[in-house]
Amino acid sequence: MSDRMWARQRFMTQGCLDRCRLRASAASESKVVLYRAPPGYGKSVQVAFAANTRDHEPEAAVYINTRSYPESCKVTDRLFAELVLYQIKGLEFSRTLTSDVNTIESLRDTLLNAKTTIKICLDGINEANDNANLVEDLICETPTNVKFFIAPDSAGALARLSMMADAVIYGADELAFTEEEISELLGNNDTEASKTIKATGGWPALVRLRCQTPNPNLPPASWPETRSYFKDNLLSVLHDKAQTFVCNAAMLEEISAECYDYVYKTECADQEISFLNEKFALFSPIPSSGGSMAMHPVLREYLRSVFNTTQRERRSYVLKRVAFWHWRRDEHLHSIHAAQEASDHRWARVVSDSIILDVAVRQGEIEVLRTWFEKVPIRTIKKATSLSIGYAWTLYFCQQARQAQEILASSRHPTYRGESKLNEEGWLELVTAIGKATHDELLESQTLCEKWISSFGDRNIIGKGAALTCQAFIASSDRRFEDFERLLHKADVVNQSSNQYYAFIWLKTAEILAELFKGDIARAMHLLRQVNEIAENIGIPKIFLSKMFGVLELQILHEKNHHLVNHESAQASFYFALNYGVTDILWGYTQNHSRLLYYQGFRDRAMALLEQVLSTACERELPRLKTLAKVQLAEFTLLNSEQPEPPILPEASELTFLPNQNLAILAHIALVNSMYRLQLGKQFGVAETYAKQALKCASTISDARTNVSAQYCQALAAFALGSSKLAKRRIIDANLLAEHLNCHFTRLWIKKALLALSPIDHDLFDESPDDGSSEAKATKELELKTEGSSTRPISGDTHSTITIKQLSVLKCVSNGMTNREIAERLDVTEDAVKWHMKRIFSELRVTNRVQAITEARLRGLL
């Protein structure tokens, strides 16, 4: 028996990943490690690995697998004890045992007096075995150096052990593979590991099947291997009633006994759920759901396909009952999901105003509503004002303004159901006001939002949150940062009081965008992490949020460390921004990604991306997006041209947008004009003038990234005019600013662009600090800087007057540099360094360097 067990142990661990995190930490701290999870989570493999590993030479290991018990043999406590003793002390000792009592007592004494670590690894034990009570006794009676690793035969077995203070339990969440572990399995292939995690959720059996299937990019529930696995390892071990139950439960939005009993007209769902959970752990609790449970998405899809095959004629009926159940409980999103799957557009006729407006405006499930509305006949939508308003809202946020306006125009018919109540709360006017902002008609939207808040704000708190959020977004877009801060706080309070999830996403998007407009990448990353934590804590729906914040995160990553940008995820984010992002979101991402593509040598792809956005701007009648795309295309065309030709740029009279939006465009136009004069190899004075103009515009709107680029252009023009010292200063100032704010790619981009335009800048960059090395060395240094600055604290002292130059002096001081070394590093005099130190001491209210460094770190300045 023992030989068969160890042969099974060797076979089970062959080709598998030994995940030390599932045993090593517990082995040193706890006496019992329990593995509880559904089938296919590698519980037996972990027990087998625990038996196979020796941390120290004298250690002993026992491995018992109940599947190796002979069918004709009842494994009594004596036989179990003899198995353990045989594996610890060998055959000769076993022959000295004469009776049941003698054998069991010898085992107790051997474990009680053990001087070295003994691992007892048990696979398949449960209350049904005679040995369960003996195992529990041994756990309680033996010292801490005797450790137990147990995978019970069923998920709920040995429940008493889980209540022990020194027991560690690993469930499905812990046993699921991490992305790093899958990457190790796949030979450090991070891209495939990421795809595998998304497809399988880390379920070990599904991970293995994905590695084997010839169709890994298809949905996992459709793989023949998956279907065979679930059929043979799950359905086959369930009795008929349990099989029917799990297939039925898969059709529910959330699994609960009350919902199941209502939908299927039964009275015993709680018993079946308890049985399936105790035996197989098929359901997991949903946080903050009042006791509802969920099933693994892949298993759910498989069981739904089984239901559709075996009970096809009931499918629509069941889904309608699911929809009605959630409707009665005001769980509107679940109602729409279920009705959508039932393909029952007639359900739309009885949708109440509260449901459609709650899902559209408060929860913002735009993608879900878009799919659902596409299945509803337009004549049905036009029969209810609430449907028309909800559909128009959805269209606006899908960047289909023309269609939205047509729907709103038709919804003014006086005979439409529910119009009087909706008019009292101003929903039609609200959608119109915010819809203007999605179409980049920001000035008109601002006026309409102010008027709406004055007329309806006190009667409609959800709408008030949306209107204030819209105003805040407009202020952010126009770089009116003081107004934005004021509106941000007002909108945040209203959104929290009304659980306004959709407005929360857009408000936080505006806050992160404001930092991106400023060029403070470190602050933007800090906010993004902070917002994700808040969203997790208050239960914001994740689908739209993760995609929107994914677009913002990639913008940050483009600047912070562009080497980490994955082209596949970048393309997915672009399509999301194209379909659901307003002008600022779409353009911010497009400019960053097109420049990265151009920088990496994919010039045609970069130009094609801009042409696609330009075409979209013309189609949707978005003049600002069209202008922005034209300026960037002019810049790329200039870099592509061997023979200098005047760039085709918009005239100042064409800029009819918000004041600071115009300044941002003017700054870019001035930069392109400066770059063109530098490319000519003459007119360096004109080039310097344009660079100063760009710098002035950038400073007015606090745009650090344009500031860096303008200083580089100004430096090159000054260098060409013979002002080498001024040029060097400009480069140092630009580099310090870029380093402080983590604008790493901006510096790389403008440097490469100028190198392509003018041969004289090689001399300038060779003389400038941090730029005299090869591209490979510069890249390596950049990665180190990025890594080191990724956790830079964010100052809470918003009124600090310490300048970027003074922060640079502080950093040099913290590195132990003398005044002379600092002066050489920053290309200033020692007297200037002393003056800066005096100002720093005064601002921080300290008297020496050590205190200054300490205080600066406390304030998050270093």
Side-chain angles (χ1 to χ4, degrees):
M1 289 173 64
S2 181
D3 288 346
R4 287 201 300 270
M5 290 174 182
W6 280 98
R8 184 183 289 273
Q9 183 273 341
R10 289 189 294 273
F11 179 80
M12 289 179 64
T13 56
Q14 186 176 3
C16 294
L17 185 66
D18 185 3
R19 297 185 284 166
C20 300
R21 66 180 176 85
L22 296 175
R23 56 175 178 78
S25 60
S28 60
E29 301 169 5
S30 303
K31 187 174 181 61
V32 182
V33 180
L34 277 174
Y35 300 98
R36 300 183 183 280
Y41 270 86
K43 305 181 294 295
S44 296
V45 172
Q46 291 311 311
V47 171
F49 266 122
N52 192 51
T53 305
R54 304 285 193 278
D55 294 329
H56 305 286
E57 189 60 35
E59 285 186 358
V62 173
Y63 179 72
I64 294 178
N65 191 309
T66 60
R67 293 185 182 179
S68 296
Y69 287 168
E71 293 184 6
S72 59
C73 174
K74 180 176 176 60
V75 180
T76 62
D77 282 354
R78 176 189 176 181
L79 182 52
F80 177 85
E82 193 167 358
L83 268 170
V84 175
L85 286 168
Y86 169 73
Q87 293 188 23
I88 296 174
K89 293 202 168 187
L91 181 61
E92 292 303 319
F93 181 82
S94 300
R95 287 173 176 167
T96 65
L97 305 174
T98 58
S99 67
D100 290 1
V101 174
N102 177 250
T103 302
I104 295 171
E105 288 305 312
S106 294
L107 174 60
R108 293 179 190 271
D109 291 341
T110 298
L111 298 180
L112 183 62
N113 298 311
K115 303 302 182 186
T116 59
T117 299
I118 298 177
K119 297 179 180 178
I120 299 180
C121 306
L122 309 175
D123 188 5
I125 300 291
N126 66 33
E127 282 89 348
N129 300 116
D130 292 337
N131 319 129
N133 289 331
L134 175 59
V135 169
E136 187 172 337
D137 290 342
L138 294 175
I139 291 171
C140 296
E141 296 169 359
T142 54
T144 56
N145 57 307
V146 180
K147 301 184 181 298
F148 292 79
F149 296 81
I150 305 173
D153 183 52
S154 60
L158 306 178
R160 288 175 295 184
L161 297 184
S162 62
M163 294 186 288
M164 292 183 173
D166 54 354
V168 169
I169 302 174
Y170 290 126
D173 289 341
E174 293 79 17
L175 286 163
F177 277 119
T178 65
E179 189 168 331
E180 292 76 15
E181 289 169 342
I182 295 175
S183 180
E184 185 179 344
L185 275 174
L186 300 176
N188 296 318
N189 188 332
D190 293 340
T191 302
E192 281 302 310
S194 177
K195 291 180 181 178
T196 302
I197 279 286
K198 290 178 182 177
T200 66
W203 189 335
L206 297 180
V207 170
R208 175 70 73 181
L209 294 177
R210 190 177 189 276
C211 294
Q212 296 172 346
T213 183
N215 303 302
N217 293 323
L218 294 177
S222 68
W223 302 334
E225 297 85 353
T226 305
R227 302 180 70 82
S228 297
Y229 177 80
F230 283 144
K231 181 180 179 182
D232 297 339
N233 294 276
L234 180 61
L235 291 185
S236 65
V237 298
L238 296 177
H239 54 74
D240 292 345
K241 184 178 178 182
Q243 285 188 29
T244 301
F245 186 91
V246 294
C247 292
N248 288 348
M251 302 303 292
L252 306 180
E253 288 291 307
E254 291 181 351
I255 298 168
S256 68
E258 295 84 357
C259 181
Y260 187 99
D261 284 338
Y262 172 82
V263 172
Y264 294 102
K265 302 179 181 179
T266 62
E267 297 179 354
C268 57
D270 55 340
Q271 299 173 17
E272 288 294 331
I273 291 174
S274 297
F275 165 75
L276 289 166
N277 256 359
E278 290 174 8
K279 185 69 177 174
F280 302 102
L282 292 182
F283 310 126
S284 57
I286 301 174
S288 306
S289 66
S292 294
M293 311 190 86
M295 189 183 294
H296 191 282
V298 178
L299 176 60
R300 183 175 184 244
E301 286 306 306
Y302 166 73
L303 292 174
R304 282 184 160 218
S305 69
V306 174
F307 183 98
N308 292 339
T309 301
T310 58
Q311 305 183 62
R312 182 182 299 275
E313 68 285 351
R314 298 186 64 209
R315 182 178 182 278
S316 180
Y317 169 76
V318 166
L319 288 169
K320 290 173 191 175
R321 287 188 66 82
V322 172
F324 194 71
W325 161 263
H326 289 293
W327 185 12
R328 291 173 57 192
R329 294 163 58 90
D330 292 332
E331 295 166 350
H332 306 147
L333 184 57
H334 289 322
S335 298
I336 288 182
H337 269 139
Q340 181 176 307
E341 286 194 69
S343 299
D344 182 21
H345 64 77
R346 293 172 299 173
W347 187 82
R349 296 176 183 174
V350 293
V351 172
S352 68
D353 300 340
S354 60
I355 287 182
I356 196 65
L357 293 174
D358 180 74
V359 175
V361 182
R362 189 180 71 85
Q363 299 187 51
E365 291 289 348
I366 300 302
E367 291 180 282
V368 173
L369 286 172
R370 181 180 189 176
T371 304
W372 182 67
F373 273 120
E374 285 173 354
K375 297 181 179 180
V376 180
I378 195 67
R379 62 180 180 277
T380 301
I381 294 174
K382 290 184 175 181
K383 288 181 180 178
T385 305
S386 60
L387 287 180
S388 298
I389 292 174
Y391 189 34
W393 177 269
T394 302
L395 289 170
Y396 269 128
F397 281 95
C398 292
Q399 302 308 308
Q400 299 178 42
R402 191 181 300 110
Q403 297 93 314
Q405 291 164 2
E406 291 172 359
I407 289 292
L408 285 178
S410 65
S411 70
R412 297 178 184 276
H413 197 285
T415 61
Y416 281 179
R417 173 173 64 83
E419 186 176 14
S420 57
K421 182 182 178 183
L422 293 172
N423 283 342
E424 290 174 5
E425 296 180 344
W427 286 111
L428 189 66
E429 291 81 358
L430 178 70
V431 172
T432 302
I434 295 176
K436 294 290 183 183
T438 68
H439 196 237
D440 209 38
E441 298 174 72
L442 300 183
L443 188 59
E444 186 174 357
S445 176
Q446 173 73 27
T447 303
L448 291 174
C449 283
E450 288 176 359
K451 182 179 178 182
W452 188 94
I453 292 172
S454 175
S455 302
F456 304 100
D458 295 335
R459 282 176 278 172
N460 186 342
I461 189 169
I462 292 176
K464 184 177 181 180
L468 285 170
T469 297
C470 184
Q471 286 185 314
F473 194 97
I474 293 168
S476 174
S477 178
D478 194 29
R479 283 77 164 170
R480 291 183 283 109
F481 299 122
E482 290 185 4
D483 289 346
F484 171 70
E485 289 294 330
R486 175 178 55 81
L487 289 164
L488 172 68
H489 294 302
K490 288 178 66 176
D492 207 17
V493 169
V494 176
N495 290 338
Q496 286 186 42
S497 66
S498 59
N499 293 324
Q500 239 286 31
Y501 297 148
Y502 196 49
F504 170 89
I505 295 172
W506 280 100
L507 187 63
K508 297 308 177 183
T509 296
E511 191 174 4
I512 296 166
L513 276 177
E515 299 306 324
L516 289 173
F517 291 144
K518 296 175 188 175
D520 194 340
I521 306 304
R523 174 71 179 168
M525 176 59 83
H526 172 79
L527 282 176
L528 184 64
R529 290 172 178 166
Q530 188 181 66
V531 170
N532 273 317
E533 291 175 5
I534 295 172
E536 184 72 26
N537 292 336
I538 63 178
I540 301 290
K542 292 183 178 180
I543 297 175
F544 187 85
L545 178 142
S546 62
K547 291 180 179 179
M548 178 62 79
F549 286 178
V551 171
L552 298 173
E553 185 174 17
L554 275 172
Q555 284 193 57
I556 294 168
L557 201 59
H558 275 106
E559 277 288 351
K560 196 172 175 59
N561 195 340
H562 66 275
H563 301 94
L564 300 181
V565 174
N566 176 276
H567 284 292
E568 186 175 340
S569 59
Q571 193 65 26
S573 288
F574 170 71
Y575 284 130
F576 177 81
L578 194 67
N579 291 318
Y580 299 99
V582 295
T583 293
D584 288 303
I585 291 168
L586 175 57
W587 177 246
Y589 186 79
T590 300
Q591 184 180 46
N592 280 5
H593 192 54
S594 63
R595 283 182 171 177
L596 177 59
L597 288 171
Y598 196 98
Y599 180 84
Q600 292 176 335
F602 304 110
R603 297 185 175 187
D604 290 344
R605 287 175 59 184
M607 298 287 279
L609 195 70
L610 289 175
E611 290 289 357
Q612 184 176 357
V613 171
L614 183 60
S615 173
T616 299
C618 295
E619 179 186 341
R620 296 177 184 170
E621 299 175 357
L622 298 170
R624 183 161 66 101
L625 182 61
K626 181 180 176 181
T627 300
L628 291 164
K630 280 185 172 181
V631 177
Q632 188 62 60
L633 275 168
E635 181 180 337
F636 284 173
T637 304
L638 188 66
L639 296 176
N640 273 339
S641 302
E642 294 183 5
Q643 297 297 326
E645 295 182 8
I648 302 174
L649 294 164
E651 297 292 335
S653 59
E654 298 178 44
L655 305 184
T656 57
F657 316 116
L658 296 179
N660 290 335
Q661 291 176 344
N662 292 336
L663 282 177
I665 297 171
L666 283 171
H668 196 181
I669 290 173
L671 272 179
V672 175
N673 277 321
S674 179
M675 292 164 70
Y676 168 61
R677 265 65 183 189
L678 292 170
Q679 186 186 37
L680 287 174
K682 52 186 178 180
Q683 300 183 10
F684 295 117
V686 179
E688 186 177 33
T689 301
Y690 276 121
K692 288 180 178 179
Q693 181 184 338
L695 185 61
K696 182 180 178 181
C697 292
S699 299
T700 302
I701 59 175
S702 303
D703 183 349
R705 286 188 280 182
T706 303
N707 188 315
V708 169
S709 297
Q711 289 199 70
Y712 261 78
C713 289
Q714 191 176 353
L716 183 54
F719 186 76
L721 292 169
S723 301
S724 178
K725 189 172 181 63
L726 175 60
K728 187 178 178 182
R729 275 280 174 83
R730 288 296 181 192
I731 294 292
I732 289 174
D733 289 346
N735 288 346
L736 291 174
L737 181 60
E739 182 180 348
H740 176 66
L741 298 177
N742 284 358
C743 302
H744 300 301
F745 183 73
T746 291
R747 188 176 66 166
L748 290 177
W749 166 256
I750 190 61
K751 177 185 171 183
K752 184 165 184 174
L754 293 178
L755 283 169
L757 291 173
S758 176
I760 65 170
D761 54 9
H762 288 277
D763 299 328
L764 170 62
F765 295 141
D766 285 344
E767 291 186 12
S768 300
D770 297 331
D771 285 302
S773 59
S774 66
E775 184 66 22
K777 183 179 177 182
T779 300
K780 184 176 181 181
E781 288 177 353
L782 172 58
E783 289 173 341
L784 291 174
K785 287 178 182 177
T786 303
E787 182 180 351
S789 62
S790 61
T791 56
R792 177 172 73 86
I794 306 301
S795 173
D797 185 4
T798 57
H799 302 292
S800 174
T801 58
I802 291 181
T803 66
I804 298 297
K805 182 65 70 68
Q806 289 162 4
L807 281 175
S808 302
V809 171
L810 261 176
K811 288 178 183 177
C812 292
V813 171
S814 69
N815 290 329
M817 297 173 68
T818 66
N819 284 355
R820 177 177 293 180
E821 290 170 332
I822 296 171
E824 291 176 356
R825 169 81 173 94
L826 302 181
D827 193 34
V828 294
T829 65
E830 287 189 58
D831 286 339
V833 174
K834 291 176 183 177
W835 184 85
H836 283 308
M837 288 303 303
K838 185 177 180 181
R839 298 286 297 175
I840 290 168
F841 288 173
S842 174
E843 173 64 27
L844 299 181
R845 298 179 183 177
V846 297
T847 57
N848 59 54
R849 292 186 173 212
V850 174
Q851 291 176 356
I853 295 168
T854 303
E855 182 64 22
R857 284 175 176 158
L858 286 173
R859 295 194 187 190
L861 298 173
L862 289 178

